[in-house]
Amino acid sequence: MAHIAKYQSGAIGHMCALYENEAMQANGYNLGPKRLISQVQFISKRISALALKRHVRKDAVRLCDCIVTLPRSFDDNREREFFKTAYTFLSQRYGVDNVVSAYVHRNSSHPHMHFAWIPVTEDGRLSAKSVVTRLELKTLHPDMQRFMESSLGCKVEILLDSEKAGERILSGLGLKDYIDAKAELERLDSEIAEKKAQLNEILRQEHEARKRLAELVCSAEQEDTEGD
């Protein structure tokens, strides 16, 4: 039901635009804080406000994204309640002040929420490595399940069907291999999402280029007509 992806500065603009654009396409909505500045501006402002001893490295992770999917077994009529509860859990876990946005997308086979946040440690450091540890990846699902079931008053399946099949395979591994395999899956999810964002940006640029070309052709044709 939940996956965590990590993004460096180069992908932040793409991902933030993706969150907003996909939400607009199919009656999506944002459960995150309402601000007068953009997501990218907030990320920069929040990091600048940290009392960091060193400059933030270019390859530092500035944004994390926990993708929470509505289980197929859950009542669709309680969709918003489900995501609000998930939002409450995640904002408490990773810090309300660090929440960037929480866009719910409804244009796929099943609704899902992108809970985006800045990985800030309890002592005020920017460190995804310290926040999203292997232990965190291991405990996130069971902790979320307990919270969701207690809050919603019903059974909540944390893993989707495809994930359950994978879990059955992974369950045969030793603990270390299991954790390593889960971490690798998270890394691949992050890489796929980043490549998707880059592709969307390329397609947008292509669209703009074609539009500009059409305008130039039209302008040239008008000049030829006027010359005649």
Side-chain angles (χ1 to χ4, degrees):
M1 187 184 71
H3 299 282
I4 295 179
K6 306 173 187 177
Y7 300 104
Q8 299 174 355
S9 59
I12 288 178
H14 301 310
M15 293 309 301
C16 289
L18 183 67
Y19 299 151
E20 296 179 10
N21 293 339
E22 290 198 7
M24 292 174 59
Q25 291 175 10
N27 298 320
Y29 48 92
N30 180 22
L31 294 175
K34 303 298 186 292
R35 300 189 179 97
L36 298 178
I37 58 177
S38 69
Q39 296 178 81
V40 175
Q41 290 173 325
F42 170 74
I43 293 171
S44 178
K45 181 178 180 180
R46 175 66 176 125
I47 293 176
S48 297
L50 299 175
L52 301 177
K53 297 180 180 180
R54 300 178 181 177
H55 290 296
V56 180
R57 289 168 25 190
K58 290 184 178 180
D59 62 348
V61 172
R62 289 168 167 79
L63 177 69
C64 289
D65 177 6
C66 186
I67 306 172
V68 182
T69 303
L70 182 72
R72 296 184 184 280
S73 60
F74 197 80
D75 184 359
D76 289 342
N77 294 322
R78 300 180 66 188
E79 173 197 307
R80 198 176 189 96
E81 181 185 5
F82 171 86
F83 285 123
K84 281 186 176 181
T85 304
Y87 175 85
T88 298
F89 170 81
L90 292 170
S91 61
Q92 291 177 356
R93 194 175 183 97
Y94 298 120
V96 176
D97 293 339
N98 302 320
V99 178
V100 177
S101 62
Y103 280 95
V104 175
H105 293 167
R106 310 179 77 243
N107 56 342
S108 61
S109 59
H110 225 59
H112 59 277
M113 177 177 71
H114 287 269
F115 179 87
W117 87 97
I118 304 166
V120 178
T121 63
E122 292 184 358
D123 58 353
R125 293 178 295 112
L126 179 69
S127 176
K129 184 177 180 180
S130 298
V131 176
V132 188
T133 62
R134 289 183 175 181
L135 178 61
E136 171 65 12
L137 295 176
K138 180 182 177 182
T139 59
L140 176 61
H141 284 91
D143 288 350
M144 177 179 281
Q145 179 161 348
R146 283 191 291 270
F147 182 89
M148 299 287 284
E149 291 182 346
S150 175
S151 300
L152 296 171
C154 64
K155 177 69 175 177
V156 177
E157 291 188 3
I158 290 299
L159 300 177
L160 297 176
D161 293 341
S162 59
E163 290 184 278
K164 288 179 179 177
E167 286 295 326
R168 284 196 293 271
I169 296 173
L170 293 177
S171 64
L173 301 175
L175 178 59
K176 182 180 183 302
D177 290 336
Y178 172 87
I179 294 175
D180 289 343
K182 292 286 286 184
E184 177 64 11
L185 288 174
E186 296 291 348
R187 185 191 67 78
L188 291 174
D189 283 340
S190 174
E191 185 175 335
I192 290 171
E194 185 170 351
K195 295 299 183 184
K196 180 180 179 181
Q198 292 174 355
L199 175 60
N200 287 338
E201 176 62 16
I202 292 173
L203 292 175
R204 185 193 67 78
Q205 292 178 4
E206 180 190 21
H207 174 74
E208 291 296 326
R210 289 182 180 277
K211 181 179 177 181
R212 178 56 180 162
L213 177 60
E215 291 175 349
L216 291 173
V217 171
C218 182
S219 177
E221 290 177 346
Q222 289 179 349
E223 291 179 358
D224 289 342
T225 301
E226 292 174 356
D228 294 340

